Amino acid sequence: MHSTSDNILSAVRIEKGFPGTKALDKVDFQLRRGEVHALLGENGAGKSTLIKCLTGAYRRDGGSILLDGTEIDPRDTFDAQRLGIGTVYQEVNLLPNLTVAENLFLGRQPRRFGMIDAREMNRMARELLAEYELDLDVTRDLAGYSVAIQQVVAIARAVDLSGKVLILDEPTASLDAHEVAMLFRIVRRLKARGLGIIFITHFLEQVYEISDRTTVLRNGQLVGTRETTDLDRRDLITMMIGRELADEIHTNHPSAGDGQLRYRFRNYGRRGHIDPFDLDVRAGEVVGIAGLLGSGRTETAEVLFGANRADSGTAEIDGRAVDLSSPRAAIRQKFGFCPEDRKTAGIVGDLSVRENIVLALQARRGWTRPISRTEQNRLADHYIRALDIRTADREKPIKLLSGGNQQKAILARWLATEPEFLILDEPTRGIDVGAHAEIVRLIESLREKGLSLIVISSEIEELVAYSTRVVVLRDRAHVAELDGERITAHNIVEAIAAANEGGAS
Amino acid sequence: MTATVKTYFGRLLPQLIALAVIVVAISMVFPGFLNLQIQNGRLYGSLIDILNRGAPVVLLAIGMTVVIATKGIDLSVGAVMAICGAVAAALITSGHSLAETLLATLAVGILCGVWNGILVAILDIQPIIATLVLMVAGRGIAQLITEGAILTFNHPGLIFIGSGSFAGLPMPIVIWLVFGVLIALLVRQTALGMLIEAIGINRQASTLAGVLTPVLLIAAYVLSGLCAAFAGIIAAADIRGADANNAGLWLELDAILAVVVGGTSLLGGRFSIAASVLGAIIIQAINTGILLSGFPPEFNLIIKAAIIVFILVLQSPRFRTAFTFVRLPRAAGKPTEREAK
Amino acid sequence: AELVVGFSQIGSESGWRAAETTLTKQQAEQRGVDLKFADAQQKQENQIKAIRSFIAQGVNAILLAPVVATGWDEVLQEAKDAEIPVILLDRTVDASDDLYLTAVTSDLVHEGNVAGKWLVDTVAGKDCNVVELQGTTGSSPAIDRKKGFEEALAGHDNLKIVRSQTGDFTRTKGKEVMESFLKAENGGKNICALYAHNDDMAVGAIQAIKEAGLKPGTDILVVSIDAVPDIFQAMAAGEANATVELTPNMAGPAFDALDAYLKDGKEPPKWIQTESKLYTQADDPMKVYEEKKGLGY
Amino acid sequence: MKQKYLPLTATILIFVLSYALCVMQFPNMLSTRVIGNLLTDNAFLGIAAVGMTFVILSGGIDLSVGAVIAFTGVFLAVVLEQGGLHPLVAFALALAITTAFGALMGAIIHYLEMPAFIVTLAGMFLARGMAFVLSIDSIPIKHPFYATLKGFYYKLPGGGRITLIGGLMLLVFGVGILIAHRTRFGTNVYALGGGAATAKLMGVPVARTTIGIYALSGLLAGLAGIVFSLYTSAGYSLAAVGVELDAITAVVIGGTLLTGGSGFVAGTLVGILIQGLIQTYITFDGTLSSWWTKILIGLLLFAFILLQKGIIRLSRVERQHA
Ligand SMILES: Nc1ncnc2c1ncn2[C@@H]1O[C@H](COP(=O)(O)OP(=O)(O)OP(=O)(O)O)[C@@H](O)[C@H]1O
Ligand SMILES: Nc1ncnc2c1ncn2[C@@H]1O[C@H](COP(=O)(O)OP(=O)(O)OP(=O)(O)O)[C@@H](O)[C@H]1O
Ligand SMILES: [Mg+2]
Ligand SMILES: [Mg+2]
């Protein structure tokens, strides 16, 4: 075995409690020089909490941390950065109101005569991003760029900060295959330079592709650390969820719905957001939407739901023209929408899990007809159980839940309204394997109940699994549609690529 | 049931303690403080004075709480008080009946609220600036009505609202008690409270969940306007005249202070009307205590600042964490911190 | 050519102030003066700005009702350099007296003194505890009226000021503070007289006294300053005892002096003092009330 | 042009337009006197507003500035007239006190996690209270050094002057712009305004920055107090009431968002000038009663905000259709 001196970072018996939760229970963790170490576990297992304790974002309750054999005690993330630990935290944690360059060099801007040398900083920023094949206007505010680009910027920043250790908490959640490949190239290069890299993800393929060792947490406790190559997929899942997963996503996609045609959108669109498109959705049908990052998938969803009012075209339900100009109007037509950006558009952070779940239902009923507390409790408990939302109790503020569990609570919010047309934008992003399978099953059971669903996902395998039809987007326009037997991962990729070659729109 | 009562009082505990401390402190400096007697058929004493004098700020704080819960702020309440007092006085002196006067005055308050609400909810102007417009212009409007003088009236009905009594309690107390209970019931027995909190915490997410955000936002400012109208009527009735120049001057700050002392965050979200009412009473108790203490007036502000800082430090999250989790001194990290955006 | 006169008024914080503004406008109209009015919203900096704009506009003269005595040297010097005469209204300033033409004011200390003398004479040697409602802390009327009153009481050991607190010149605060005075002084039984720095506070305090079950004017003597209409009603009802007049017509004498100066180059005296007349219940208060009612108080 | 300069450009545009309108009605308003006055008369407000800009950019607010200005004035008057110190020493002392006062408020805001609104409100009570305790009387300052300082000015053709304090305000704005955009501290201020939790995760020294921000605001409020005392040659405890609201208004009119993170120090200067213009216009008009003055100020404020919104929205739409 390796001697301890090989460990660049080791954490011993780390403890961390939150009111009502023991998030970390005497967790040990070792990171070697020059290894990629996957940190796995279900939603709420304590992965992010462990990271935050290591980097001083949280004060740990107990345990010690050694960097290069000497004990360290980072008081805040600034300390950790100085020690050579660069981190990408879960959810993009950059400042939207600063420029790209400022985000990259915050706190270490180059200076001349005590003043920031903006020209030099921008030059350095362009140089740094060039490694990531990004050619951005670095003097623009970060808010102007898509989530994916922001994620890459966050990674670039962390990598640049990491002299010894790089920590990546679900960095690939909003990246597509191309960008993931690029990230992995960089990770391998850093690894070769002798850095220790901690990598958190819910994509098991990526674990096998990049990691040398794997540590699994469950309910705040260490389950074990293994060499990744010694670990087969089934064992890994069992380690994570503590039981065998009945069946992973099956690949035989459902037959095209033969339900009646219910929703007809003609020439529907909004200038500057999404080009006018036609779309028909049947009862009992799942329409998957595929496309590269920034292709306009989210915009399509927002226009359908009235979050952005359509400025052209018509919408019909069962042959009757309807008004979908606002979320309320859409909800009146029994629409539901789980947005992609759950932090800003999904959760209402300070409200409890219960209140978050009943929110849409209550809004639809109007304020004069309050849902009784008993009924609220019943609904909340029902969905907490049905979707396996991990929370100490239903009164916990939702912002204190782990990311994946927040996602499930938002889903519950819409299910509680008993929708007939449900739009899910990246419903499985950041969700663990167990829950992932559950959500896929849920989508299927909803379809079987006769709902119409629109599902946006960057995971093509997943789309293939549950879609009865797949729409492919590019440059904010609908460019192709696949159905029946033609829905295969290969065909979707082809369609995106073909469209790509199709030239300017 | 008892559990709910317990959590309810648990929420109010810091305010109740602060109030108790202040009352004890004053009664040590001024022994007659706790005396209560019946005089002219109504309760009489310093404690009653606090509840009575606190009426305008209590009423303003009720409306302000709801506005602040939506992540807004209403700086115009003082000016709206002045407008409504002026309107009431002008109407009653020009021979309108009491009922007409009151209805018209409340309508004016509501109108002011609608104006603020539209600026905030529809025109999307930042609340502080949106309400600053009416704060500045409103006092002008009030003065326009009274022409800068104190508009005195002698209508016994209107005066009764300011200095009459009902069941032994001065009318202002009766009004804020009834109004406060009604509003608290309204927001908590319907879904209003939760929806308002949702808007205050995350307006975008709430809108996407189908909450009728603009209407509720406007409603919050309307409530605030209505409260200011009540406060304005009481203030005018109390002195039997509308003093457009001074009625409600700087009271918006007291009302905001009351809400914060009541533990509602200025960042919006969770609110408690009862706690804000207690906050307003705490502030009035401080004011009355200062008056009774007999210190020269130069010291008024310093004493007030010191007491407020003291109460707020007691309530500050840091202090409370240190207090309740003595075992885990630095445990909580900063999970409660919310993104500014 | 028509005379253009700028008038920098403090604001509109009280009925008295409104009356002064009204009377100034009336006086200007009667004399065919084009009055440029600027309300400073209680802020000295706004008054300075206003005067500077008047100078920039090239007015013929400036009337200034200064919010505070200090801080005028520079801007008055500028007016002087521009050869624009400045007349001060209702308060004088702490600057060399060649910077302004004249000041038409009452004597604030004297007002307090008149009120105090009246009280000394009225109680005629009996023991008397006095409570005082001060004006806005730091304002010169509050400071001077307190000073004058205390001077009048000096040497009369039977009179003692037992409580003194600010009522901000407003009715509401006057009433609130009086309530606490009553509580603090044994339900008011220890109080024999109230001295208020203005009538508005007195009117508020009178209501507090009545609500405490005492008779203002009898159980507690009430003396105040300003002589606004409402106090005469109270006097007529026997609820107030005396008030010292501060005339709002400062502009009349000011315009007279200005006319004389501009026409004949006649330098007026540096201080035109207005009368501080004492009114008591014996002066037919209702008649005075009727006279004053229409003046925009 | 970049999106983020829109509010600033809109504000400048509005200022120029309205000045032109004013001049059309009152040609005298074009005189250098009026322009010089605009700088001199608003010097103290402008300096305080620079500090307020930093505070607001960081997502906070400082209600104490008016009271701090009054306190500084009274303090200077007392030590100069009774203590016999040289004004420069007194200035240094005053600045040290107000800076420490600001830093203390910043520390309370950060370490006790209390909202800035309330901490600085208490600060406002405290500062004004201290001014009362020092002296309730207004005290004239007769020190010859004050006269010397006032003697420094640059005469413009047409009778206008750029006074020392007017120039000082421009200088403070210049330095403020440099600090905001060319120092790490400045970027950290924007970072805090963009999201305190995120900024913390990114390694921004939140404690140091927060304390620094309020200390800076205290320092500039102190400087504004010195300027005010030069302006009036006196110390008065009731001076500068409500200046904090004027400063906040100037900052917001200047295009800075009260939620923090977005805006420009230069915008605040335009905000100050717009407010000054409103005042000047009203005095030039000279027919408004006290109450109409207030109503008009309110309405003009509203009109400016609406115009600003309109311009920004229009150009956004155009961009999208381009
Ligand atoms: N600030 C907090 N306050 C209270 N509880 C918290 C807080 N942060 C996390 N928790 C709780 O701690 C547990 C671990 O959360 P953590 O975020 O570490 O999970 P995770 O493994 O990163 O999950 P995911 O895969 O969903 O990101 C969860 O039960 C969560 O509810
Ligand atoms: N806030 C914003 N400001 C400017 N441009 C934006 C903003 N949000 C998205 N965009 C741009 O709009 C385009 C469409 O974005 P959209 O979010 O619809 O893409 P998507 O296909 O859903 O991709 P993703 O997988 O990132 O959600 C992209 O080019 C994106 O960069
Ligand atoms: Mg996590
Ligand atoms: Mg998307």
Side-chain angles (χ1 to χ4, degrees), chain B residues 242-276:
Chain B
D243 184 352
N245 311 316
N246 297 300
L249 200 61
W250 302 117
L251 278 201
E252 53 278 346
L253 289 183
D254 272 2
I256 296 168
L257 195 59
V259 174
V260 173
V261 168
T264 296
S265 160
L266 282 172
L267 295 176
R270 295 288 190 199
F271 69 95
S272 159
I273 287 181
S276 297

Coordinates of all heavy atoms in Angstrom, one line a residue, chain B residues 242-276:
Chain B
A242 N -55.6 68.8 12.1 CA -54.6 68.1 11.2 C -53.4 69.0 11.1 O -53.5 70.1 10.6 CB -55.3 67.9 9.8
D243 N -52.3 68.5 11.5 CA -51.0 69.2 11.4 C -50.2 68.7 10.3 O -49.4 67.8 10.4 CB -50.3 69.1 12.7 CG -49.0 69.9 12.8 OD1 -48.7 70.5 11.7 OD2 -48.4 70.0 13.9
A244 N -50.5 69.2 9.1 CA -49.9 68.6 7.9 C -48.3 68.7 7.9 O -47.6 67.9 7.3 CB -50.4 69.3 6.6
N245 N -47.8 69.7 8.7 CA -46.4 69.9 8.7 C -45.7 68.8 9.5 O -44.6 68.4 9.2 CB -46.1 71.2 9.2 CG -46.9 72.3 8.6 OD1 -47.0 72.3 7.4 ND2 -47.5 73.2 9.4
N246 N -46.3 68.4 10.5 CA -45.6 67.5 11.5 C -46.2 66.1 11.7 O -45.5 65.3 12.2 CB -45.5 68.2 12.8 CG -44.7 69.5 12.8 OD1 -43.6 69.5 12.4 ND2 -45.4 70.6 13.0
A247 N -47.4 65.9 11.3 CA -48.0 64.6 11.5 C -47.2 63.5 10.8 O -46.9 63.6 9.6 CB -49.5 64.6 11.0
G248 N -46.8 62.6 11.6 CA -46.1 61.4 11.0 C -44.7 61.7 10.6 O -44.1 60.8 9.9
L249 N -44.2 62.9 10.9 CA -42.9 63.2 10.5 C -41.9 62.2 11.0 O -41.8 62.0 12.2 CB -42.5 64.6 10.9 CG -41.4 65.3 10.2 CD1 -41.7 65.5 8.7 CD2 -41.1 66.7 10.8
W250 N -41.1 61.6 10.2 CA -40.0 60.6 10.6 C -40.6 59.3 11.2 O -39.9 58.5 11.7 CB -39.0 61.1 11.5 CG -38.3 62.3 10.9 CD1 -38.3 63.6 11.4 CD2 -37.5 62.3 9.7 NE1 -37.5 64.4 10.6 CE2 -37.0 63.7 9.5 CE3 -37.1 61.4 8.7 CZ2 -36.2 64.1 8.5 CZ3 -36.3 61.8 7.7 CH2 -35.9 63.1 7.6
L251 N -42.0 59.2 11.2 CA -42.5 58.0 11.8 C -42.2 56.7 11.0 O -42.2 55.6 11.5 CB -44.0 58.1 12.0 CG -44.5 58.9 13.3 CD1 -45.9 58.5 13.6 CD2 -43.6 58.6 14.4
E252 N -41.9 56.9 9.7 CA -41.6 55.7 8.9 C -40.4 55.0 9.4 O -40.3 53.8 9.4 CB -41.4 56.1 7.4 CG -40.4 57.2 7.1 CD -41.0 58.6 7.3 OE1 -42.3 58.7 7.4 OE2 -40.3 59.6 7.3
L253 N -39.5 55.8 9.9 CA -38.3 55.2 10.5 C -38.6 54.4 11.7 O -38.1 53.3 12.0 CB -37.2 56.2 10.8 CG -36.5 56.8 9.6 CD1 -35.4 57.8 9.9 CD2 -36.0 55.8 8.6
D254 N -39.5 55.0 12.6 CA -39.9 54.3 13.8 C -40.6 53.0 13.4 O -40.4 51.9 14.1 CB -40.8 55.1 14.6 CG -40.0 56.0 15.6 OD1 -38.8 55.9 15.6 OD2 -40.7 56.7 16.4
A255 N -41.5 53.1 12.4 CA -42.2 51.9 12.0 C -41.2 50.8 11.5 O -41.4 49.6 11.8 CB -43.2 52.2 10.9
I256 N -40.3 51.2 10.7 CA -39.3 50.2 10.2 C -38.5 49.6 11.4 O -38.3 48.4 11.4 CB -38.3 50.8 9.2 CG1 -39.1 51.3 7.9 CG2 -37.2 49.9 8.8 CD1 -38.3 52.2 7.0
L257 N -38.1 50.5 12.3 CA -37.4 50.0 13.4 C -38.3 49.0 14.2 O -37.8 48.0 14.7 CB -37.1 51.2 14.3 CG -36.1 51.0 15.4 CD1 -34.8 50.6 14.8 CD2 -35.9 52.3 16.2
A258 N -39.6 49.3 14.3 CA -40.4 48.4 15.1 C -40.5 47.0 14.4 O -40.4 46.0 15.1 CB -41.8 49.0 15.1
V259 N -40.5 47.0 13.1 CA -40.6 45.8 12.4 C -39.3 45.0 12.6 O -39.3 43.8 12.9 CB -40.8 46.0 10.9 CG1 -40.7 44.7 10.1 CG2 -42.1 46.6 10.6
V260 N -38.2 45.7 12.6 CA -36.9 45.0 12.8 C -36.8 44.5 14.2 O -36.3 43.4 14.5 CB -35.7 45.9 12.4 CG1 -34.4 45.2 12.8 CG2 -35.8 46.2 10.9
V261 N -37.1 45.4 15.2 CA -37.1 44.9 16.6 C -38.0 43.7 16.8 O -37.7 42.8 17.5 CB -37.5 46.1 17.5 CG1 -37.8 45.6 18.9 CG2 -36.4 47.2 17.5
G262 N -39.0 43.7 16.0 CA -39.9 42.5 16.0 C -39.4 41.3 15.3 O -40.0 40.3 15.3
G263 N -38.2 41.4 14.8 CA -37.5 40.2 14.3 C -37.8 39.9 12.9 O -37.3 38.8 12.4
T264 N -38.5 40.7 12.1 CA -38.7 40.4 10.7 C -37.5 41.0 9.9 O -37.1 42.1 10.2 CB -40.0 41.1 10.2 OG1 -41.1 40.5 10.9 CG2 -40.2 40.9 8.7
S265 N -37.0 40.1 9.0 CA -35.8 40.5 8.3 C -36.1 41.6 7.2 O -37.1 41.5 6.5 CB -35.2 39.3 7.6 OG -34.3 39.8 6.6
L266 N -35.3 42.6 7.1 CA -35.5 43.6 6.0 C -35.2 43.0 4.7 O -35.5 43.6 3.7 CB -34.5 44.7 6.2 CG -34.9 45.7 7.3 CD1 -33.8 46.7 7.6 CD2 -36.2 46.4 6.9
L267 N -34.7 41.7 4.6 CA -34.5 41.1 3.3 C -35.8 40.4 2.8 O -35.8 39.8 1.8 CB -33.4 40.1 3.4 CG -32.1 40.7 3.7 CD1 -31.0 39.6 3.9 CD2 -31.6 41.6 2.6
G268 N -36.9 40.6 3.6 CA -38.1 40.0 3.1 C -38.3 38.6 3.6 O -37.4 38.0 4.2
G269 N -39.5 38.0 3.4 CA -39.8 36.7 3.8 C -40.5 36.6 5.1 O -41.5 37.4 5.3
R270 N -40.2 35.6 5.9 CA -40.9 35.3 7.2 C -41.2 36.6 7.9 O -40.4 37.4 8.2 CB -40.0 34.4 8.0 CG -39.8 33.1 7.4 CD -41.0 32.3 7.5 NE -40.8 30.9 7.1 CZ -41.8 30.1 6.7 NH1 -43.0 30.6 6.6 NH2 -41.5 28.9 6.5
F271 N -42.5 36.7 8.3 CA -42.9 37.9 9.1 C -43.8 37.5 10.2 O -44.5 36.4 10.2 CB -43.5 39.0 8.2 CG -44.8 38.6 7.7 CD1 -46.0 39.0 8.3 CD2 -45.0 37.9 6.5 CE1 -47.3 38.7 7.8 CE2 -46.2 37.5 6.0 CZ -47.3 37.9 6.6
S272 N -43.9 38.3 11.2 CA -44.9 38.2 12.3 C -45.5 39.5 12.6 O -44.7 40.4 13.0 CB -44.2 37.5 13.5 OG -45.0 37.8 14.6
I273 N -46.8 39.6 12.5 CA -47.4 40.9 12.8 C -47.4 41.2 14.3 O -47.1 42.3 14.8 CB -48.8 41.0 12.2 CG1 -48.7 41.1 10.7 CG2 -49.7 42.1 12.8 CD1 -50.0 41.2 10.0
A274 N -47.7 40.1 15.0 CA -47.7 40.3 16.5 C -46.3 40.8 17.0 O -46.2 41.7 17.9 CB -48.0 39.0 17.2
A275 N -45.3 40.2 16.4 CA -43.9 40.6 16.9 C -43.7 42.1 16.5 O -43.0 42.8 17.3 CB -42.9 39.7 16.2
S276 N -44.1 42.5 15.4 CA -43.9 43.9 15.0 C -44.7 44.8 15.9 O -44.2 45.9 16.3 CB -44.4 44.2 13.6 OG -43.6 43.4 12.7

